[in-house]
Amino acid sequence: MNQYPAWKYILLIVVVAVGLLLALPNVYGEDPAIQVSMTTDQSLPENTVATVQQTLDKASLPYKKVERQEDNVLVRFEDTETQIKAEAAIKQALGDNYAVTVNLAPSTPDWVQALGLQPMNLGLDLRGGVHFLLQVDIEAAVDQALNSYRADIQDWINEELGPGQAAVRRQGNQIDVRFHDAATRAKARNIINDRLLNDVTLTETRIDGDPALVVRVPEAKVAALRTGAVDQNIAALRNRLNDLGVAEPLIQRQGRDQIVVELPGVQDIAQAKERLHAKATVEFRLVDTTDSAIMAAQSGHVPLNAELYRDTPSGQPVLLKRDVIASGKNLVDASPGPNPQGADWVVNVNLDSEGGSRMLDVTRKNLGKPMAVVLIQDRTTEREVNGETVREHHKVESVISVATIQGVFSNRFQISGQTQNEATQLATQLKFALAVPMDVVGQRVVGPSQGAKNIERGMQSLVLGFIAVVVFMALYYKVFGLFADIALLMNVVLVVALLSLLQATLTLPGIAGIVLTVGMAVDANVLIYERIREELRNGSSPQAAIYGGYERAFSTIADANITTLIAGVILFMFGSGPVKGFAVTLSLGIMTSMFTAIVGTRAIVNLIYGGKRVKKLLV
């Protein structure tokens, strides 16, 4: 009685061995580090490692190691003070072509890395970094959609029925389209229906006696626009942050119109804020060569079909035609690169089929004429109104390039006249454009030293809790208590192993979840041992008491743990940030504790007592 077959012992040994191996990388901790990468799509120069080493040696800054990785150089230091000084020195030595990021790097030995083993990620509260709360202007998404509908409806009617057949005007959340007669209205209704099927509702009416159509966007569509704006901004932020060197950035929606961004390991708040907030698009337009831009600027009279721009590379005013050839919405890709025909840098632009078709038609008809690139940036200003800070968005439009069309092209061309830094920033802003503006309404920096203190305190609480439980079990349940203590140690190892295997992020609440798991992990053993005591009091033999204790306590243990696991899953599904971290460690701890408490302790008990004549149990 109470004997396990050999395969069960082998399975248990394999599970524990694999758990120890997976948890091993977490023993070595992390080094303060600096990550150096290119701000462009170019590969890192071969001499970067030598340049970094020479810079640190010249500044008398000691370092542990400088290593070249796939697309960056990683420099390890003994302490954060040297790390911060080294960041400034390396930035000055390398210039704007490189991104120099303060970070923390696992100090795992090479042989462990060769096995593909990695430590679990540490959250912002343990590793230090930057926390942002972003407010998304979701109403701007509705405005953009309505303005786009208005412009498209006017273009479609002009294209199908000819100019002057309808007057299209936006009134709040609806668009009014006025006609000269009902027959034109009927034709226009068919045109709009064909293009905007299911997107809008059309109502025939009369405005000031004229036949008209009222175009309304359904509330469900408006709600989808608001939700989609936040989702698009989240997607854009993920792409923008890829090259900041952040191991596990947290980017998630909070409430209806806010986004939480946490960047563990990043200490440069200005660089992170710029990467998050920058918003830009471009428009490609022909230059109006029939009218004088200087006379228009002096007189203030601008031709109806043109717009006057004063912010230009030459400093001279320029008139551009109002018709937009292509814009940011037609952009598929944008990447910086050196200009093969000059010393400046260019942005290589790739348009979609619609934009490429229009660009091909315009360049074919306007060879030898100038075309301009207009950069449109969203800027935010703050002012005090009745004691409250009011943020206002402004569009700042400037002509960044005017060049003569020297050949026919369509969807692939270049924006020239940029410095390397300008080209890199412009390409990033264009490629990962935000759907709508957003403001940073909250920010905080957690220093690496504060994160280290949190780790120290968390580990102290875990160790003290572990020792208290171990002592109690050993004193109260004697030898069987020691079995439970061994299973408890196995449980902690397996939790850490699973966190490392899943590459989950451990936060301070996550440590609290592990501490709680330590206390809960012995619950199953307490139920089993009390059941064994009860069986012994009822006159059962030691072997029968062991068998009855494990078998009859199982259903109670399963019910208690499954209900707690359900609560953990719900916390993970509906919680955010720290709550999710707590839910992950709690749920993993419940699953591992059931394995170690039931299978692990019984394997030890069976190994020692199984198949033997036992007169007394120390329980």
Side-chain angles (χ1 to χ4, degrees):
M1 183 180 285
N2 298 319
Q3 289 181 300
Y4 266 172
W7 69 266
K8 281 193 176 182
Y9 287 110
I10 294 172
L11 174 64
L12 187 63
I13 292 171
V14 169
V15 169
V16 173
V18 171
L20 286 169
L21 192 61
L22 290 173
L24 183 62
N26 298 280
V27 174
Y28 298 98
E30 293 182 311
D31 293 324
I34 289 177
Q35 180 175 298
V36 179
S37 57
M38 296 294 293
T39 57
T40 68
D41 291 339
Q42 288 185 311
S43 59
L44 202 68
E46 292 296 330
N47 64 343
T48 305
V49 171
T51 303
V52 170
Q53 288 175 326
Q54 291 169 6
T55 301
L56 295 175
D57 292 339
K58 185 177 180 180
S60 300
L61 295 171
Y63 55 89
K64 291 176 65 175
K65 188 178 182 181
V66 180
E67 54 187 309
R68 169 120 190 194
Q69 299 180 338
E70 290 184 5
D71 54 356
N72 62 69
V73 170
L74 193 69
V75 190
R76 298 174 182 269
F77 301 91
E78 292 286 354
D79 54 75
T80 55
E81 183 179 350
T82 307
Q83 175 197 36
I84 300 302
K85 293 179 180 178
E87 178 196 15
I90 294 173
K91 276 186 176 179
Q92 184 177 4
L94 296 181
D96 294 335
N97 300 344
Y98 297 80
V100 181
T101 309
V102 176
N103 213 327
L104 292 171
S107 55
T108 313
D110 293 339
W111 70 269
V112 177
Q113 295 182 27
L115 296 174
L117 303 179
Q118 294 179 313
M120 56 188 164
N121 296 308
L122 298 180
L124 184 72
D125 47 3
L126 300 180
R127 197 178 193 189
V130 187
H131 170 97
F132 291 106
L133 179 62
L134 307 173
Q135 181 79 41
V136 182
D137 186 1
I138 56 176
E139 296 308 319
V142 181
D143 286 340
Q144 289 177 5
L146 289 169
N147 289 335
S148 178
Y149 284 145
R150 183 203 59 76
D152 288 342
I153 289 170
Q154 184 73 74
D155 290 342
W156 296 335
I157 293 175
N158 290 346
E159 182 182 336
E160 298 287 339
L161 304 179
Q165 298 297 313
V168 184
R169 216 172 29 168
R170 178 186 165 190
Q171 298 287 342
N173 283 343
Q174 71 179 41
I175 299 168
D176 297 338
V177 189
R178 296 173 61 174
F179 304 92
H180 299 298
D181 53 69
T184 306
R185 178 178 64 183
K187 294 177 183 178
R189 177 166 189 156
N190 292 333
I191 294 170
I192 298 172
N193 256 333
D194 290 342
R195 306 289 183 100
L196 294 176
L197 184 64
N198 299 327
D199 270 6
V200 298
T201 59
L202 301 177
T203 306
E204 292 187 355
T205 184
R206 300 188 80 84
I207 299 176
D208 297 333
D210 294 330
L213 284 174
V214 175
V215 183
R216 291 188 179 90
V217 180
E219 281 303 315
K221 179 69 174 179
V222 172
L225 288 171
R226 294 189 179 111
T227 302
V230 179
D231 292 339
Q232 289 178 49
N233 274 18
I234 289 175
L237 290 176
R238 290 189 191 281
N239 289 321
R240 288 184 174 196
L241 295 172
N242 277 345
D243 59 348
L244 266 183
V246 185
E248 193 73 13
L250 171 70
I251 306 172
Q252 64 183 20
R253 179 196 294 266
Q254 177 172 290
R256 179 168 170 261
D257 56 359
Q258 291 183 331
I259 300 173
V260 172
V261 178
E262 290 186 352
L263 308 176
V266 173
Q267 301 298 318
D268 190 340
I269 192 170
Q271 180 191 15
K273 192 172 182 179
E274 180 183 352
R275 189 66 55 87
L276 291 174
H277 200 254
K279 181 178 187 290
T281 187
V282 288
E283 290 180 349
F284 303 94
R285 300 188 190 183
L286 287 173
V287 176
D288 183 354
T289 56
T290 59
D291 298 290
S292 171
I294 296 177
M295 291 185 61
Q298 292 174 347
S299 64
H301 297 294
V302 181
L304 292 176
N305 64 339
E307 283 187 80
L308 179 65
Y309 288 86
R310 300 175 186 271
D311 189 3
T312 64
S314 65
Q316 298 295 320
V318 62
L319 281 173
L320 302 185
K321 293 185 177 181
R322 288 185 177 272
D323 294 335
V324 178
I325 305 168
S327 66
K329 70 178 183 180
N330 304 116
L331 193 132
V332 175
D333 191 21
S335 61
N339 190 347
Q341 299 178 349
D344 61 341
W345 276 61
V346 299
V347 176
N348 300 297
V349 177
N350 186 8
L351 299 178
D352 61 13
S353 58
E354 180 185 358
S357 176
R358 285 202 300 266
M359 187 66 73
L360 178 63
D361 184 59
V362 168
T363 54
R364 184 185 291 125
K365 295 177 181 178
N366 294 276
L367 276 172
K369 296 181 179 179
M371 182 175 68
V373 181
V374 181
L375 175 64
I376 305 171
Q377 295 176 298
D378 184 84
R379 300 278 177 82
T380 303
T381 58
E382 296 183 355
R383 61 188 180 93
E384 294 288 331
V385 178
N386 298 326
E388 293 184 0
T389 301
V390 178
R391 292 181 176 84
E392 296 178 342
H393 293 283
H394 304 280
K395 279 187 177 180
V396 179
E397 301 185 5
S398 58
V399 176
I400 61 173
S401 174
V402 177
T404 301
I405 300 173
Q406 312 234 345
V408 177
F409 54 87
S410 58
N411 62 328
R412 293 181 182 273
F413 55 95
Q414 297 174 336
I415 302 173
S416 59
Q418 310 285 306
T419 65
Q420 183 173 358
N421 192 40
E422 290 171 345
T424 301
Q425 290 184 356
L426 179 59
T428 300
Q429 293 174 20
L430 294 178
K431 186 176 181 180
F432 307 125
L434 299 174
V436 291
M438 60 185 181
D439 294 320
V440 178
V441 296
Q443 64 185 42
R444 60 185 172 90
V445 178
V446 180
S449 58
Q450 182 62 43
K453 287 180 181 178
N454 289 338
I455 293 177
E456 182 182 353
R457 291 168 184 167
M459 290 304 297
Q460 286 176 351
S461 63
L462 178 59
V463 171
L464 289 175
F466 184 86
I467 292 174
V469 172
V470 165
V471 171
F472 170 80
M473 293 298 292
L475 292 177
Y476 196 72
Y477 292 108
K478 302 179 180 64
V479 174
F480 277 72
L482 293 177
F483 299 160
D485 292 339
I486 295 172
L488 182 60
L489 180 60
M490 289 168 49
N491 180 59
V492 174
V493 170
L494 291 179
V495 170
V496 174
L498 287 174
L499 288 172
S500 302
L501 179 65
L502 299 173
Q503 281 297 280
T505 301
L506 181 67
T507 61
L508 199 56
I511 293 180
I514 296 177
V515 175
L516 180 60
T517 300
V518 167
M520 294 174 57
V522 295
D523 282 356
N525 291 119
V526 168
L527 289 172
I528 293 169
Y529 296 164
E530 288 299 326
R531 188 72 189 188
I532 291 175
R533 284 179 171 181
E534 184 179 346
E535 293 289 331
L536 291 173
R537 285 194 295 268
N538 291 336
S540 299
S541 67
Q543 293 289 4
I546 292 172
Y547 182 83
Y550 276 97
E551 292 298 321
R552 293 172 185 174
F554 178 78
S555 59
T556 305
I557 295 169
D559 291 344
N561 281 277
I562 288 172
T563 52
T564 308
L565 183 60
I566 291 171
V569 171
I570 291 174
L571 278 176
F572 180 81
M573 290 173 61
F574 295 101
S576 62
V579 176
K580 280 194 172 185
F582 176 80
V584 168
T585 54
L586 178 64
S587 301
L588 291 177
I590 289 170
M591 291 185 286
T592 56
S593 67
M594 287 190 66
F595 174 78
T596 56
I598 297 173
V599 179
T601 59
R602 189 163 191 182
I604 299 173
V605 170
N606 287 354
L607 184 64
I608 294 175
Y609 295 105
K612 300 176 182 178
R613 187 178 297 274
V614 181
K615 295 182 179 180
K616 186 178 180 180
L617 292 177
L618 294 177
V619 62

